[in-house]
Amino acid sequence: MNDKVLETLEYGKIKEQLTKFLATDRGNEIVGQLTPSAPVDQVNQRLAQTADGADIVRLKGEIPIPKLTEISPYMKRLRIENASLGGTELAQITKLLRAVQVVSDFFADLQEEDVALKVLPQIVNRLTLLPDVTRRMLSSIDDDGRVLDGASSELRAIRKSISATQGNIRSRMGKFIKGSDAKYLSEPIITVRDGRFVLPIKAEYKQRFGGIIHDQSASGQTLYVEPNTVVEMNNQLRRDQLAERAEVRRILGELTNLIRPHRDDLLANMDLIGQLDFVNAKAKLAHQTGSIEPKVSADNVVKLRQARHPLIPRDKVVANDIEIGDQYHAIIVTGPNTGGKTITIKTVGLLELMAQSGLFITANEGSQIGVFDDIFADIGDEQSIEANLSTFSSHMDNIISILNQVSQNSLVLLDELGAGTDPKEGAALAMAIIDAFHKIGCELIATTHYPELKAFAYNRPGIINASMEFDVDTLQPTYRFLLGIPGQSNALNIVSKLGMSKQIVDQARAFTDTENQDINNMIEELTAQTKRAHDEADELNTQLQQAAKLHSELQDKFTKYENQKDRLTEQAKERANQVVEEAKKQADQIIADLHEKQAKVGQVAVKENELIDAKGALNKLETAPNLTRNKVLKKEKAKHDFHPGDDVLVKSYGQQGTLLRRDKNHTWDVQIGILKMQIEESDLEKAAKNTKEKNQYQTHVSRTRSAGMSPTLDLRGHRYEEAMTEVDRYIDSALLAGYPSVTIIHGKGTGALRKGVTEYLKRNPRVKSFGYSAPNSGGDGSTVVKLK
């Protein structure tokens, strides 16, 4: 990939965003050397690494990698036979050894949890574990490079002796500070000079203490004296400190020799940890920016769904759908300045660079990228005073260079093609340049102001118009990318909105030729249709998101209900078992009491009232179900809830009657016609109310579609006169059949059929509106007609 496009598209700023998430020097080095790849396999491999990292970030937060300093310089020193590393250097190596162990354990845990990863385990499996070396280093060196007491038994003994000697010295000198001699001190403190403990004594009392003078204050009023009583202890302390220093040097040499044979393994581990750090950074950046993994097209078909520029904040950027490489290989973007043309082509180029570098892209799911061998861009004003180049000359110099390097597998981005010179010559040159790139077969996106290029793109297969939407009502660009619609000339509409005299505006319109006016009217209608489609799509997307959210909430609640249902069922079973057990115990007790009464010698037979009481006690053990919510029972009760005046059905006679009054023994007096009868309540049932609804008559008149008529008319291969007759007959038939819209396929060809169809539809008063089909449904090769 050429360096110029990386600078033009601000690829370096993406790398700066990555560095914020790095923890190792090697990771920073990898990002510094990062460039887009061309082979499809390598791009897929890089994206798969990022996908694994994204899964880990989602599930675990990140791969546990600490801050690590580059160890390459230390490894070079180890090549020297007698070279020894210092404590700080060995501490950095120890951090690496510990990181390798932690990362290896981390991925082992992921494997036990059945977390499916694609490629990162391959990197982790290449790590070289040095458990014995790691344990020795961890027990010998701390993070600051200090040699720990556990490095050797001798060092532990020496340091223990040093600690005891220091304690004795402080205890002995503490008597001078707290006793009667404290008045001879400048300050009641113990300090150190030349590694020996001393007291700050007033100069005039130096003879009182004796000992060795090691230093004096700047004023000469204070002398730092080592009393005679601690001289020998200070000597011992010094001997121990020298012994400690020698032992530390010996241990550092021993540790250096311990890792010397593993130089290559340590360097390889450093590189692998750096790669994992880089994956971490890519995944974190993707999470922060809401990026997704794109699909990769080996045929360089680019389909970006709601793509947004990665360097613009999400709350300010406008997302767009952009496609190239399938039905068309060149896009000509027209429209006013500040409408977003430049940022749109930069978005395409930068997302391609990111994806080919293994980074996720700022777009929606389902997006697809190509894999280009090179991307070229001529964007911005690059005039050079030193080289005596104008803006036009600078652009042409860049384009000539691109033409000499481009291939059919390249992506070319040209901004303001042909600008900076005479409009007619500039437009002609722009068309010739586009044709040249188109013949090469590369993918091309070019922006321009020239209206001639609209018709040029319209009549060229494989080339499509596009524009940036402009809101004439607010006089502001919307930054929406409209594929298949050329940019509309809004100058007259804008000046009219700004208050320009209607006379001047009308005169300006009169100066504009009819063809341009027709084109502008067509573009205006297409723009309006596209805007409605975008608005409807946005509304549907919002509804879809709300529905998805509601579905997720309902799913969660249903899952909780299922879990709760099982738990409550188990609890109910346990409670039922308890109730049954208690009922059994009570029943057994009642029966035992009866048996006891019957078994007593000389006891009279059990009295009747005692048996009744026992039976009542047993009946109380039965718990009736709660039927208050039983809808069937409620409905049955309602049928037999009788009141005087109710209409009832006498089931045995199959006749309806009216209740008069209730008699004893559950009977009712019922009036059936002229007869009055006494009927059992069980033979009665409430009659349903007979409500007669008035018949409403309404006349419906509707048109029925002909089952044999197609909603599409294909005129390809017809002669002009025959085709026009067919169109007239077809439109009449479509109106009779009740079709709201039909499609007329006239093809592209010479344009005669298309023009004839257009003129006929303009004249027909039963045609509500018409326009070309969508780019993916035939484009200008067919016309969609809406009927009144």
Side-chain angles (χ1 to χ4, degrees):
M1 205 69 65
N2 65 90
D3 294 335
K4 183 175 178 58
V5 75
L6 301 180
E7 180 181 354
T8 301
L9 299 180
E10 301 179 287
Y11 180 73
K13 291 186 177 179
I14 300 297
K15 293 166 67 170
E16 289 176 6
Q17 290 183 344
L18 274 175
T19 56
K20 299 176 183 177
F21 301 102
L22 294 170
T24 67
D25 288 348
R26 183 60 61 88
N28 275 279
E29 183 180 343
I30 292 173
V31 171
Q33 298 173 354
L34 180 65
T35 55
S37 300
V40 175
D41 293 343
Q42 190 171 352
V43 173
N44 282 320
Q45 180 79 2
R46 286 181 163 190
L47 288 172
Q49 289 180 1
T50 309
D52 282 354
D55 289 340
I56 291 173
V57 167
R58 178 172 53 85
L59 296 172
K60 299 293 183 180
E62 64 177 326
I63 304 172
I65 298 176
K67 289 191 174 296
L68 294 176
T69 302
E70 181 57 54
I71 65 167
S72 297
Y74 312 152
M75 297 299 102
K76 289 181 180 179
R77 286 179 53 196
L78 287 182
R79 294 176 183 173
I80 303 173
E81 184 175 351
N82 295 322
S84 180
L85 300 180
T88 302
E89 296 164 331
L90 289 171
Q92 298 302 328
I93 295 173
T94 303
K95 288 181 181 179
L96 172 61
L97 290 167
R98 181 169 54 219
V100 169
Q101 186 65 56
V102 170
V103 169
S104 180
D105 292 342
F106 175 79
F107 278 89
D109 293 340
L110 289 180
Q111 186 176 3
E112 289 182 2
E113 296 173 13
D114 293 330
V115 176
L117 300 175
K118 302 174 184 176
V119 294
L120 287 190
Q122 300 172 13
I123 296 177
V124 176
N125 291 338
R126 289 159 52 196
L127 289 170
T128 302
L129 295 175
L130 302 170
D132 295 336
V133 176
T134 302
R135 281 193 296 271
R136 176 77 170 105
M137 298 296 290
L138 288 174
S139 65
S140 302
I141 300 288
D142 67 8
D143 290 342
D144 296 327
R146 180 176 176 271
V147 178
L148 298 172
D149 295 352
S152 73
S153 57
E154 174 130 10
L155 181 61
R156 181 183 289 107
I158 292 172
R159 287 182 174 171
K160 186 175 181 181
S161 174
I162 290 174
S163 178
T165 302
Q166 287 177 339
N168 292 334
I169 292 173
R170 291 183 180 278
S171 176
R172 182 70 60 86
M173 297 180 73
K175 296 177 180 179
F176 294 105
I177 295 174
K178 299 177 182 178
S180 58
D181 293 329
K183 59 186 177 182
Y184 304 116
L185 305 179
S186 297
E187 291 181 88
I189 61 172
I190 301 172
T191 186
V192 177
R193 289 294 186 275
D194 298 329
R196 302 177 76 89
F197 287 94
V198 295
L199 294 172
I201 299 173
K202 296 177 182 178
E204 58 268 29
Y205 301 115
K206 62 181 179 180
Q207 299 299 333
R208 181 168 185 86
F209 287 87
I212 303 170
I213 299 174
H214 288 275
D215 199 1
Q216 67 177 7
S217 64
S219 63
Q221 298 296 319
T222 300
L223 300 176
Y224 294 92
V225 178
E226 178 185 1
N228 287 328
T229 56
V230 297
V231 169
E232 182 53 34
M233 284 189 287
N234 267 327
N235 290 339
Q236 180 61 42
L237 179 61
R238 185 61 177 166
R239 288 191 293 268
D240 288 343
Q241 289 173 341
L242 292 174
E244 179 193 26
R245 188 178 304 172
E247 180 64 12
V248 165
R249 281 199 302 269
R250 187 193 68 79
I251 292 172
L252 293 178
E254 182 181 306
L255 297 177
T256 300
N257 291 329
L258 178 65
I259 65 173
R260 197 186 303 274
H262 305 289
R263 292 194 306 270
D264 294 337
D265 292 336
L266 291 171
L267 286 172
N269 283 346
M270 189 74 211
D271 185 63
L272 294 171
I273 292 294
Q275 291 181 39
L276 294 174
D277 186 29
F278 173 50
V279 171
N280 242 357
K282 292 192 294 182
K284 289 181 180 179
L285 178 62
H287 180 74
Q288 183 188 69
T289 57
S291 301
I292 59 94
E293 179 184 5
K295 300 176 183 176
V296 178
S297 168
D299 298 325
N300 289 345
V301 177
V302 178
K303 294 182 180 180
L304 300 178
R305 302 286 180 247
Q306 293 298 289
R308 57 189 186 276
H309 198 282
L311 299 179
I312 301 177
R314 295 184 68 178
D315 58 341
K316 296 181 180 179
V317 69
V318 176
N320 284 300
D321 292 340
I322 306 169
E323 295 186 12
I324 190 172
D326 188 8
Q327 298 181 9
Y328 37 82
H329 297 275
I331 302 176
I332 310 302
V333 187
T334 52
N337 283 328
T338 70
K341 299 192 302 295
T342 303
I343 203 68
T344 298
I345 64 174
K346 278 189 170 183
T347 299
V348 176
L350 187 53
L351 294 188
E352 272 292 337
L353 293 176
M354 291 173 62
Q356 289 186 222
S357 300
L359 303 177
F360 282 8
I361 62 173
T362 48
N364 283 2
E365 293 288 348
S367 293
Q368 178 175 287
I369 57 102
V371 180
F372 299 99
D373 58 8
D374 212 336
I375 299 176
F376 300 94
D378 179 62
I379 300 174
D381 185 1
E382 299 184 8
Q383 61 179 327
S384 171
I385 296 176
E386 295 178 1
N388 194 24
L389 293 176
S390 65
T391 300
F392 175 76
S393 300
S394 176
H395 282 301
M396 289 302 106
D397 187 54
N398 287 338
I399 291 172
I400 291 170
S401 175
I402 293 172
L403 281 168
N404 291 331
Q405 303 175 64
V406 72
S407 74
Q408 65 177 0
N409 293 321
S410 299
L411 172 65
V412 180
L413 308 172
L414 303 178
D415 191 29
E416 301 298 346
L417 181 60
T421 188
D422 177 76
K424 289 187 177 180
E425 290 186 353
L429 183 60
M431 288 187 282
I433 291 172
I434 292 172
D435 255 347
F437 281 115
H438 195 48
K439 288 178 182 177
I440 294 173
C442 65
E443 313 300 331
L444 170 69
I445 306 178
T447 72
T448 181
H449 280 103
Y450 295 132
E452 292 87 349
L453 268 70
K454 302 175 187 176
F456 172 80
Y458 187 78
N459 293 316
R460 288 289 193 283
I463 303 178
I464 191 170
N465 275 309
S467 61
M468 304 306 298
E469 187 181 61
F470 187 86
D471 192 333
V472 182
D473 295 329
T474 62
L475 303 182
Q476 294 291 330
T478 64
Y479 304 108
R480 275 183 171 179
F481 181 74
L482 304 178
L483 189 63
I485 302 177
Q488 182 182 1
S489 178
N490 292 303
L492 297 181
N493 292 331
I494 291 174
V495 297
S496 178
K497 291 283 185 181
L498 292 175
M500 181 68 75
S501 167
K502 185 177 184 298
Q503 182 180 359
I504 296 175
V505 175
D506 290 342
Q507 187 174 4
R509 293 189 192 278
F511 288 146
T512 307
D513 59 62
T514 305
E515 185 177 352
N516 282 340
Q517 289 185 18
D518 291 342
I519 291 175
N520 281 332
N521 292 336
M522 179 189 71
I523 295 173
E524 184 176 0
E525 183 178 352
L526 288 173
T527 304
Q529 292 176 0
T530 304
K531 186 175 187 304
R532 286 196 300 271
H534 277 302
D535 293 341
E536 291 175 0
D538 291 342
E539 183 179 354
L540 289 174
N541 187 49
T542 301
Q543 294 176 0
L544 179 61
Q545 291 177 352
Q546 292 174 349
K549 181 180 179 182
L550 179 60
H551 178 269
S552 178
E553 291 176 354
L554 290 175
Q555 185 64 42
D556 290 342
K557 290 181 179 180
F558 179 75
T559 302
K560 291 179 181 178
Y561 160 75
E562 288 291 331
N563 295 336
Q564 188 177 21
K565 181 186 71 173
D566 294 339
R567 190 182 74 252
L568 292 176
T569 301
E570 291 300 320
Q571 291 178 353
K573 289 179 179 178
E574 293 177 1
R575 179 57 184 161
N577 290 335
Q578 293 176 0
V579 171
V580 169
E581 187 66 26
E582 292 176 359
K584 285 181 177 179
K585 290 180 179 179
Q586 294 180 21
D588 291 343
Q589 184 62 43
I590 293 170
I591 294 172
D593 291 343
L594 290 174
H595 287 167
E596 183 180 355
K597 291 178 180 179
Q598 289 179 344
K600 285 184 177 180
V601 180
Q603 181 76 21
V604 296
V606 178
K607 297 179 179 179
E608 186 68 22
N609 66 311
E610 290 179 342
L611 290 173
I612 294 174
D613 290 343
K615 185 176 181 181
L618 287 172
N619 289 336
K620 286 180 181 180
L621 298 179
E622 180 183 3
T623 302
N626 187 358
L627 299 178
T628 58
R629 295 187 179 182
N630 193 317
K631 292 183 179 179
V632 176
L633 184 61
K634 283 184 178 181
K635 190 173 181 180
E636 287 300 319
K637 285 185 176 181
K639 288 182 181 179
H640 299 86
D641 183 18
F642 300 126
H643 301 89
D646 287 349
D647 291 333
V648 295
L649 172 68
V650 181
K651 292 184 284 186
S652 58
Y653 294 100
Q655 297 292 323
Q656 288 193 0
T658 303
L659 297 179
L660 299 178
R661 66 184 184 86
R662 184 173 184 174
D663 293 332
K664 297 179 180 179
N665 299 325
H666 302 288
T667 59
W668 282 83
D669 290 338
V670 184
Q671 185 75 42
I672 305 176
I674 60 174
L675 300 176
K676 181 191 289 186
M677 302 180 67
Q678 198 170 55
I679 306 295
E680 289 286 338
E681 187 174 280
S682 60
D683 195 24
L684 297 176
E685 185 178 292
K686 271 193 177 182
K689 292 184 179 180
N690 186 17
T691 58
K692 296 183 179 180
E693 297 182 356
K694 295 182 179 180
N695 294 327
Q696 296 182 354
Y697 299 93
Q698 187 173 357
T699 303
H700 296 276
V701 179
S702 61
R703 294 183 292 182
T704 59
R705 297 181 180 177
S706 173
M709 181 179 174
S710 170
T712 302
L713 174 63
D714 192 349
L715 298 177
R716 290 176 295 182
H718 289 60
R719 298 177 62 83
Y720 181 85
E721 293 79 11
E722 179 187 359
M724 293 301 102
T725 302
E726 186 71 14
V727 170
D728 185 60
R729 186 185 302 115
Y730 179 78
I731 293 297
D732 290 340
S733 300
L735 288 167
L736 290 173
Y739 286 132
S741 66
V742 294
T743 301
I744 300 175
I745 302 174
H746 42 65
K748 299 181 180 179
T750 62
L753 279 181
R754 177 175 58 212
K755 185 176 180 180
V757 170
T758 301
E759 290 176 355
Y760 168 82
L761 295 176
K762 287 181 179 178
R763 296 193 306 270
N764 195 325
R766 300 303 304 275
V767 174
K768 182 178 180 182
S769 63
F770 63 93
Y772 295 132
S773 299
N776 59 356
S777 300
D780 56 350
S782 62
T783 299
V784 177
V785 185
K786 294 186 177 179
L787 304 175
K788 294 183 179 178

